[in-house]
Amino acid sequence: MKVLVVGLNWVGDVIMSFSAIANAAIGSTEKVDVITRPHLAPLYKLHPGIGNICAMDTKRPFWRLLPEILRLRRRAYDIIVVFPHSFRSALHAFLCGGSMRAGYASEGRSALLTLALPIPARFEKQHESSLHVHLVAAAGLPDITAPLPTVKLPSDLRTATLQHFGLKSDEDYAVIAPGAAFGEAKRWPAERFAEVALRIHHLLGWRVVVTGSNNETEIALTARVAAALPGLALDLGGRTSLDELIRILACSRLLLANDSGTMHLGALLKVPLVVPVGSTDMARTGPLAELAALVRTDSCRKVCRQSVCPQGTNDCMRSISVDAMMDAIKELLARARTSARPEGICCHG
């Protein structure tokens, strides 16, 4: 049985689909193939159940994608699983053929699918990953609730990346990711990230690496954090590819991140993870990690899921103190000492 997955378009969403892809690989006679946008290909390469990765810019008009689509069509897939809910993703699946094309009924695309499932109401209160597992199971593939797969990174590539950015393979450092693509309601103040980083350095002697994407907002955020830590912080805002970010995270001792793709990467790489939580419904989209601490207050009565605070105050994030974050960090690191990370992920063993 041959299976093709039409992949999701954001780092965090991709990682939340990894357990479902693992189930599909178990039910297939060979590894699962994936359609993805080029910038996400390095992420899919981490999954041990994925075989061929068709990296194509799915935003382009479909007729410009026909050479790649026809090549996939010749593979004669038994099942094509469409994780995104967009009409365009179902159209790509339709053009690829497949005996079964399974996806959720949305955007008037049911005619393009052979199995168009309604989104069950109960999933409104369940984790996003369970929605993908449900879809894969409906297509006749295994229905297993499994943790994120264990990934392995070549040690020579990890070491080369660290050296490129002036880090040593045996160096202890924490990573801070002060950005969040969805909006300011998900961002803890940059100055408080810097204060936590300073306390970590005084407590443990660790260096600090600040990371962020290459958009102007995140570059400015990482620069603010690094500027508050002269001589202690390495500012990598806008300077890393996804591949490089993965290797830097893999060798870190701790990750402090807002709700973001970097947060989910930390979960995948089994990095001890501390997250200040504001507008996010973590029951639905939280990190799939055992070594994670979610820090929030009850200043807001309900999760709004908005990118900008409806009250204009951002109190749900501003009410999280540096002391609360430090308490969470100390407790998490104590737990991490008794929970070894899998071999092949990190530099420290």
Side-chain angles (χ1 to χ4, degrees), residues 18 40-48 50 53 152 243:
F18 269 16
L40 292 171
L43 183 54
Y44 280 106
K45 288 178 182 177
L46 298 178
H47 198 301
I50 289 176
I53 298 173
K152 293 191 176 183
D243 259 333

Side-chain angles (χ1 to χ4, degrees), residues 65 78 105 135 156 229 241 340 342 348:
L65 302 175
D78 298 289
L135 177 59
D156 57 336
L229 301 165
S241 65
H348 304 286

Side-chain angles (χ1 to χ4, degrees), residues 66-128:
L66 282 178
E68 293 97 330
I69 287 173
L70 290 174
R71 180 174 59 80
L72 291 170
R73 191 179 182 91
R74 287 193 290 270
R75 288 273 294 160
Y77 291 100
D78 298 289
I79 299 174
I80 301 178
V81 180
V82 186
F83 284 141
H85 295 184
S86 66
F87 183 90
R88 182 189 294 264
S89 60
L91 176 60
H92 293 154
F94 176 79
L95 294 172
C96 288
S99 302
M100 175 187 286
R101 297 181 298 277
Y104 286 108
S106 60
E107 295 195 9
R109 65 185 196 160
S110 295
L112 300 173
L113 303 169
T114 62
L115 178 63
L117 297 178
I119 299 177
R122 70 179 186 275
F123 284 109
E124 277 296 314
K125 296 184 178 180
Q126 294 185 19
H127 197 273
E128 191 77 19

Side-chain angles (χ1 to χ4, degrees), residues 4 22 32 39 127 168 172 194 202 210 228 262 289:
L4 173 68
V32 173
H39 72 283
H127 197 273
K168 299 175 182 177
D172 292 327
H202 288 159
V210 191
T262 302

Side-chain angles (χ1 to χ4, degrees), residues 321-344:
S321 68
V322 170
D323 286 341
M325 288 287 285
M326 285 303 302
D327 288 343
I329 289 167
K330 291 173 185 176
E331 189 276 333
L332 182 67
L333 291 178
R335 282 199 286 136
R337 293 188 192 102
T338 62
S339 178
R341 290 165 69 186
E343 184 179 353

